Amino acid sequence: MSAVSAVSLAPESRPPWVRTITEEDLPPLSRLDEEVFAEHAYPYFVLRQLYDLHGDQLLVLDDGDSLVGYVLVGTQSDKSRSWILGLGIDSGSRGRGFGRQLMAEALRRLRAEGVGEVRLTVEPANTAAVELYESLGFARLDHHENYFGPGDARLVMTLPLRR
Ligand SMILES: CC(C)(COP(=O)(O)OP(=O)(O)OC[C@H]1O[C@@H](n2cnc3c(N)ncnc32)[C@H](O)[C@@H]1OP(=O)(O)O)[C@@H](O)C(=O)NCCC(=O)NCCS
């Protein structure tokens, strides 16, 4: 047995890893998005078109068997600003650092691309997400009472990437 194979992990023991999505990921990504966001999930055709537009900015966390989570990013053409368009972790896998892992990798890639700022929206009562974003350096920018329509409030948060 070579030194390399002696230290390599068996596939089932490999920790989940972040990777760019493929076309084959779209059906399981859509199922996971529906599991996480229920009636607020993206319709399949929207995920499809996000993939067609900029699939290289859609990241999934893969455990070798299924998708554990995802983060969807969109960047303005002049790279002045990106938006986090979605972040979700499978309900059975939360609280294990996966949301932080996905966000950290998304931010690392945006910094490497020279993007100036990242924004996102989050339900004001979503404590877990707000605490995650604040721990990553996001600050509260605005509170829109009707951001996604009447009574559908969102907190807008921002993180400058260029200092
Ligand atoms: C929000 C979400 C993505 C967090 O993912 P996660 O993998 O469970 O989070 P992590 O284990 O990486 O935790 C990272 C941080 O999030 C915060 N956090 C996570 N769960 C929390 C909870 N139940 N209560 C308060 N803060 C929490 C903490 O600040 C935590 O920091 P720590 O690493 O010091 O503990 C996940 O709960 C989720 O998918 N929720 C449903 C979808 C959603 O709300 N998406 C965001 C929409 S804007």
Side-chain angles (χ1 to χ4, degrees):
M1 184 181 285
S2 75
V4 172
S5 60
V7 297
S8 63
L9 293 169
E12 63 272 14
S13 65
R14 183 178 173 184
W17 67 98
V18 180
R19 61 171 175 78
T20 307
I21 78 163
T22 65
E23 190 173 338
E24 290 68 37
D25 292 321
L26 285 170
L29 173 64
S30 180
R31 285 195 293 275
L32 181 55
D33 192 43
E34 284 175 5
E35 188 261 317
V36 170
F37 286 105
E39 72 272 19
H40 298 298
Y42 284 118
Y44 185 89
F45 76 88
V46 172
L47 291 176
R48 170 79 227 192
Q49 301 236 271
L50 287 176
Y51 172 79
D52 291 338
L53 266 174
H54 52 76
D56 59 327
Q57 293 196 295
L58 312 183
L59 306 180
V60 291
L61 191 65
D62 184 342
D63 72 358
D65 187 38
S66 60
L67 301 185
V68 175
Y70 58 94
V71 61
L72 313 177
V73 182
T75 300
Q76 291 180 192
S77 52
D78 64 0
K79 294 196 175 180
S80 62
R81 183 179 298 154
S82 295
W83 287 84
I84 303 297
L85 303 173
L87 171 71
I89 300 296
D90 168 66
S91 58
S93 304
R94 293 181 191 159
R96 294 164 57 187
F98 295 142
R100 184 180 296 285
Q101 182 181 351
L102 271 165
M103 281 298 297
E105 176 60 14
L107 296 177
R108 188 194 67 75
R109 291 180 183 216
L110 294 177
R111 284 192 174 94
E113 288 166 20
V115 171
E117 177 204 7
V118 188
R119 289 190 185 183
L120 57 82
T121 62
V122 57
E123 274 192 75
N126 189 345
T127 309
V130 171
E131 290 195 7
L132 168 60
Y133 300 141
E134 286 184 331
S135 76
L136 290 165
F138 282 85
R140 297 166 192 239
L141 184 67
D142 207 354
H143 177 110
H144 281 251
E145 203 51 45
N146 303 309
Y147 193 88
F148 282 128
D152 205 353
R154 288 295 183 279
L155 194 60
V156 182
M157 303 187 77
T158 179
L159 174 67
L161 294 180
R162 290 191 209 127
R163 300 284 176 187

